[in-house]
Amino acid sequence: MFVGTWNVGGKTPNRGLNLREWLKSPLTADIYVLGFQEIVPLHAGNVLGPEDCSRATKWLSLICQALKGNRHDDSDRPANHKHRRQPRKSHLDSISIEDQHDRKSSEIFWDLGPDSCSSEENSPVNVHHRFCLAASKQMVGIFLCVLVRADLYQHISSLKASCVGTGIMGYLGNKGSVSISMTLYQTTFCFVCSHLASGEKDGDAFRRNSDVMEILKKTRFSHPCKILGKPVQPNCILDHDKIIWLGDLNYRLASVCEETCELLKKNDWRALLEKDQLRIEQRAGRVFNGWEEGRIHFAPTYKYLANSDHYVVQTPTSKEKQRTPAWCDRILWKGDGLELISYESSESKLSDHRPVYSYFSVQVNAVNRQNPTSIKSSSAQPPVYLQ
């Protein structure tokens, strides 16, 4: 499983943007979980007005190109796709699934190789080069999508989404979370993409802790009444077997800027991480108690000058707000059977944040507890393919 997070700062992705540097991994992943923050500028029109899904569509197109490994596709042209059913206002918001045998979400497949349309369903090319957009959901600037290997898609069920706003007035969607719940075989997963309260003043770390508590409290996945002979589906985040929390968590460094700049010059990440608010809050038991995170061997991911390797604080003449560099962008997990293979940042310079990614080895329970001899497909009808 590949998990990536990126605050893109409201920037529109350009035609030549290549995501392959970010989406690279030791091996082709079977599942891609990709979360974005600020895919639209967070002004009043976007926060209070109708959802703008056009940029999410562009990002999905770029993801498709990156997985294909093709630099020359036109990323500004939305991919043509078909729906089994009449689409809602956007296929990006069609995750609400009332019944696992009546999928209303878009079943969109990408063929990622010249041989991927082979009729040999078990061929290695088919297994590794065809992906399906299993689910996606947007709330203002937060966008979360899950892509799975096509042959795994039939074993995914109980897809649900939940959005929690923690922004302006405590509930608007300029800050908050988008969560997706799903079951793969008999293992339940929850992916939480969040953008927490910003700021580096005294008390701001407490506001971020409070956002986490609100998200854990308010995120709910509605399911139909329990069906005899079927397992009870998770209702909240902590009910799941495996949970991955990704996003711009916005935790800063509890140190003065001058001290931070000196340690930055030495690439002394170890000393800087001793001042990391997230780790301080975790050790104190105030947030993410019992959650895990990989060792950080990369530079702070915020705040850079656009199209530069320099932090804003290193450029006194910049008109940008002066911010102490910090590891704002993080990936945490909870649950057995998740083994971290890598935890890295990428060098894309589109925004003032660097993208971050993790690669996991994941164990799943493929035994149907009610009927150990068979695992039935959760998809009642054949999927629609995107060429």
Side-chain angles (χ1 to χ4, degrees):
M1 178 184 292
F2 179 98
V3 180
T5 179
W6 193 7
N7 184 324
V8 296
K11 300 292 182 65
T12 302
N14 58 57
R15 179 176 301 187
L17 182 63
N18 185 357
L19 299 185
R20 284 188 294 172
E21 172 66 24
W22 179 36
L23 300 182
K24 68 182 180 183
S25 56
L27 296 170
T28 301
D30 302 311
I31 301 172
Y32 286 85
V33 180
L34 303 175
F36 296 85
Q37 304 83 47
E38 295 189 46
I39 63 166
V40 297
L42 299 182
H43 55 62
N46 284 330
V47 174
L48 300 173
E51 205 84 87
D52 176 7
C53 297
S54 61
R55 295 202 191 185
T57 303
K58 287 187 177 183
W59 283 108
L60 283 173
S61 179
L62 288 170
I63 292 165
C64 175
Q65 290 177 37
L67 294 180
K68 284 181 180 179
N70 185 349
R71 294 177 182 268
H72 306 294
D73 288 352
D74 183 358
S75 63
D76 284 342
R77 185 174 61 248
N80 295 323
H81 59 274
K82 298 179 181 179
H83 293 270
R84 264 204 328 260
R85 298 174 178 268
Q86 183 67 26
R88 303 179 185 181
K89 65 178 181 180
S90 167
H91 73 275
L92 301 174
D93 287 322
S94 58
I95 187 174
S96 297
I97 300 168
E98 302 302 328
D99 183 87
Q100 67 178 25
H101 297 297
D102 183 17
R103 289 189 172 228
K104 296 180 182 178
S105 66
S106 306
E107 296 180 351
I108 302 174
F109 277 65
W110 283 302
D111 291 328
L112 303 181
D115 300 322
S116 60
C117 292
S118 165
S119 61
E120 299 178 15
E121 293 298 324
N122 296 320
S123 70
V125 172
N126 246 15
V127 169
H128 293 294
H129 293 88
R130 182 177 280 183
F131 286 85
C132 168
L133 177 61
S136 63
K137 187 67 177 176
Q138 179 181 351
M139 180 185 72
V140 189
I142 304 172
F143 176 59
L144 178 62
C145 59
V146 179
L147 299 94
V148 302
R149 211 178 65 205
D151 60 315
L152 287 178
Y153 180 76
Q154 62 178 321
H155 302 298
I156 290 179
S157 61
S158 303
L159 278 163
K160 294 288 179 180
S162 177
C163 299
V164 174
T166 62
I168 300 168
M169 296 186 292
Y171 67 88
L172 292 184
N174 57 305
K175 294 291 192 294
S177 67
V178 170
S179 301
I180 290 176
S181 170
M182 75 178 198
T183 300
L184 174 59
Y185 293 106
Q186 303 302 310
T187 300
T188 58
F189 289 84
C190 185
F191 308 112
V192 184
C193 178
S194 70
H195 191 186
L196 305 184
S198 61
E200 51 186 49
K201 303 185 298 294
D202 290 344
D204 285 339
F206 174 78
R207 292 172 57 222
R208 292 184 267 276
N209 294 351
S210 178
D211 283 354
V212 172
M213 296 302 106
E214 283 294 292
I215 291 167
L216 287 170
K217 176 182 176 182
K218 292 182 178 179
T219 300
R220 289 292 181 268
F221 304 102
S222 60
H223 293 278
C225 298
K226 185 181 185 309
I227 301 173
L228 187 64
K230 292 190 176 183
V232 177
Q233 294 300 319
N235 183 51
C236 65
I237 292 173
L238 296 178
D239 286 346
H240 293 76
D241 298 322
K242 305 182 197 306
I243 313 160
I244 295 181
W245 193 306
L246 58 143
D248 180 1
L249 306 191
N250 250 324
Y251 286 93
R252 308 304 173 91
L253 295 179
S255 61
V256 295
C257 193
E258 293 77 10
E259 179 187 359
T260 300
C261 288
E262 287 302 314
L263 294 173
L264 281 172
K265 291 177 184 177
K266 301 175 183 177
N267 290 348
D268 193 346
W269 312 143
R270 192 173 188 178
L272 279 174
L273 282 166
E274 291 177 3
K275 305 293 186 179
D276 177 62
Q277 285 182 345
L278 177 54
R279 296 195 170 185
I280 292 171
E281 296 300 301
Q282 273 190 292
R283 285 195 296 266
R286 290 188 286 264
V287 73
F288 288 118
N289 195 18
W291 292 68
E292 298 183 69
E293 184 183 19
R295 294 185 64 182
I296 293 177
H297 298 287
F298 48 88
T301 58
Y302 173 84
K303 175 180 173 114
Y304 286 89
L305 286 169
N307 300 309
S308 171
D309 289 320
H310 300 289
Y311 295 101
V312 170
V313 75
Q314 295 172 320
T315 314
T317 57
S318 170
K319 296 180 180 179
E320 295 277 345
K321 291 181 180 179
Q322 297 294 302
R323 291 288 184 262
T324 303
W327 285 277
C328 290
D329 309 277
R330 313 289 275 267
I331 299 171
L332 294 86
W333 75 91
K334 189 177 182 66
D336 296 330
L338 282 165
E339 179 186 352
L340 182 68
I341 296 173
S342 63
Y343 188 28
E344 306 289 344
S345 69
S346 179
E347 292 306 311
S348 178
K349 302 172 185 177
L350 177 72
S351 79
D352 53 0
H353 289 251
R354 291 293 190 260
V356 171
Y357 62 92
S358 288
Y359 193 72
F360 292 93
S361 173
V362 184
Q363 293 181 343
V364 296
N365 178 15
V367 176
N368 189 325
R369 296 181 180 92
Q370 279 68 45
N371 184 7
T373 60
S374 67
I375 300 174
K376 294 184 179 180
S377 167
S378 63
S379 183
Q381 301 182 34
V384 176
Y385 290 90
L386 175 68
Q387 301 300 329

